[in-house]
Amino acid sequence: MSVVKILRYGDEKLRTPSKEVHKVSSKVKKIIKNLIDTMYAENGVGLAAPQIGENIRAFIIDVGVNGEPANPIVFINPKIIEKTGAVNSFEGCLSFPDAFINTRRYANVKIKALDKNGKPFVMEANEGSLLAIAMQHENDHLDGILLVDHSRNRFETDQILAEKDLPPIDTNYLQEEAELEEEIKNSPQLEESNVQN
Ligand code: ZN
């Protein structure tokens, strides 16, 4: 079991775009094992390789409820192939300890990726489910995009970040998402959650 250090917001590696995995080598397998051990140790529902300082395109998710056996889903070289609808999501991130941010997300996403053995699969999640949000959140990490870049209210987010002793929003990364915002304003709100990705 190797629990490794999770990088905090402000670390440049979180902003570095990650590289494609060409082979699920023993090195890649070790990184995935570290992701799994670390995510469970920190009670997260997802963790991406750059968060542990490894800039490769891989992340894991486990949105199982308490009591269910651990069942981490491994995504290697993921690609979002469909995204529709919009929701607002109150979400956290293990790289932003205890900060929960109101973000804009797509409601429905479909991702294709390779599994832990390098075999292709497609996964779909809908209606702003925890899995749908987590897939977008983790996929973003591979491109150096972070949850605060999807803030619905950047001033409110900056206040939360300051309270948690984290750096402010970097406006160079802010995502515009005017269409998502418009759709969210006209749709029901999601319940507040307290999971960290
Ligand atoms: Zn995260």
Side-chain angles (χ1 to χ4, degrees), residues 55-79:
N55 286 110
I56 63 163
R57 301 190 76 81
F59 63 75
I60 61 159
I61 290 177
D62 187 348
V63 293
V65 290
N66 286 343
E68 276 181 22
N71 181 27
I73 312 166
V74 176
F75 296 76
I76 297 171
N77 297 343
K79 203 169 169 32

Side-chain angles (χ1 to χ4, degrees), residues 46-48 51 92-96 137-138 141 146-147 196-197:
L47 192 61
Q51 290 181 277
C93 177
L94 291 172
S95 296
F96 294 72
H137 178 117
E138 302 310 334
H141 272 298
L146 303 169
L147 79 171
Q196 301 190 88
N197 294 280

Side-chain angles (χ1 to χ4, degrees), residues 7 21 23 28 31 34 44-45 52 56 59 78 90-91 98-99 104 106 116 118-119 125 164 170 186:
L7 303 183
V21 172
K23 182 171 179 269
V28 169
I31 293 170
N34 289 348
V45 298
I52 59 165
I56 63 163
F59 63 75
F90 291 94
E91 64 194 76
D98 303 320
R104 301 178 201 100
Y106 290 94
K116 60 181 193 294
K119 196 170 159 268
K164 305 297 176 193
D170 180 342
N186 299 317

Side-chain angles (χ1 to χ4, degrees), residues 7-188:
L7 303 183
R8 271 179 160 235
Y9 179 46
D11 192 301
E12 262 316 296
K13 281 195 167 167
L14 291 174
R15 287 302 194 185
T16 307
S18 290
K19 292 197 166 73
E20 291 272 314
V21 172
H22 294 295
K23 182 171 179 269
V24 187
S25 61
S26 54
K27 183 169 183 274
V28 169
K29 284 182 178 156
K30 181 154 191 288
I31 293 170
I32 288 166
K33 177 81 171 66
N34 289 348
L35 281 173
I36 292 171
D37 291 345
T38 306
M39 180 184 75
Y40 290 121
E42 300 295 335
N43 295 311
V45 298
L47 192 61
Q51 290 181 277
I52 59 165
E54 302 284 354
N55 286 110
I56 63 163
R57 301 190 76 81
F59 63 75
I60 61 159
I61 290 177
D62 187 348
V63 293
V65 290
N66 286 343
E68 276 181 22
N71 181 27
I73 312 166
V74 176
F75 296 76
I76 297 171
N77 297 343
K79 203 169 169 32
I80 294 181
I81 50 176
E82 247 177 70
K83 47 186 185 186
T84 57
V87 286
N88 80 301
S89 151
F90 291 94
E91 64 194 76
C93 177
L94 291 172
S95 296
F96 294 72
D98 303 320
F100 293 92
I101 309 293
N102 186 1
T103 65
R104 301 178 201 100
R105 296 290 183 186
Y106 290 94
N108 314 298
V109 285
K110 198 188 269 188
I111 280 190
K112 70 170 184 183
L114 304 176
D115 71 9
K116 60 181 193 294
N117 301 312
K119 196 170 159 268
F121 70 100
V122 172
M123 186 162 288
E124 189 177 345
N126 297 297
E127 293 175 9
S129 63
L130 189 49
L131 178 59
I133 303 294
M135 291 203 298
Q136 297 171 72
H137 178 117
E138 302 310 334
N139 191 65
D140 270 351
H141 272 298
L142 309 184
D143 294 319
I145 304 293
L146 303 169
L147 79 171
V148 291
D149 306 331
H150 296 282
S151 291
R152 291 191 66 204
N153 183 331
R154 54 183 274 210
F155 302 102
E156 188 184 270
T157 296
D158 270 339
Q159 206 175 347
I160 295 167
L161 292 173
E163 279 165 16
K164 305 297 176 193
D165 285 323
L166 291 162
I169 282 182
D170 180 342
T171 52
N172 293 316
Y173 291 97
L174 268 183
Q175 311 286 305
E176 285 292 334
E177 303 174 327
E179 285 174 28
L180 282 186
E181 183 60 32
E182 194 54 37
E183 197 170 332
I184 290 168
K185 279 186 182 148
N186 299 317
S187 59

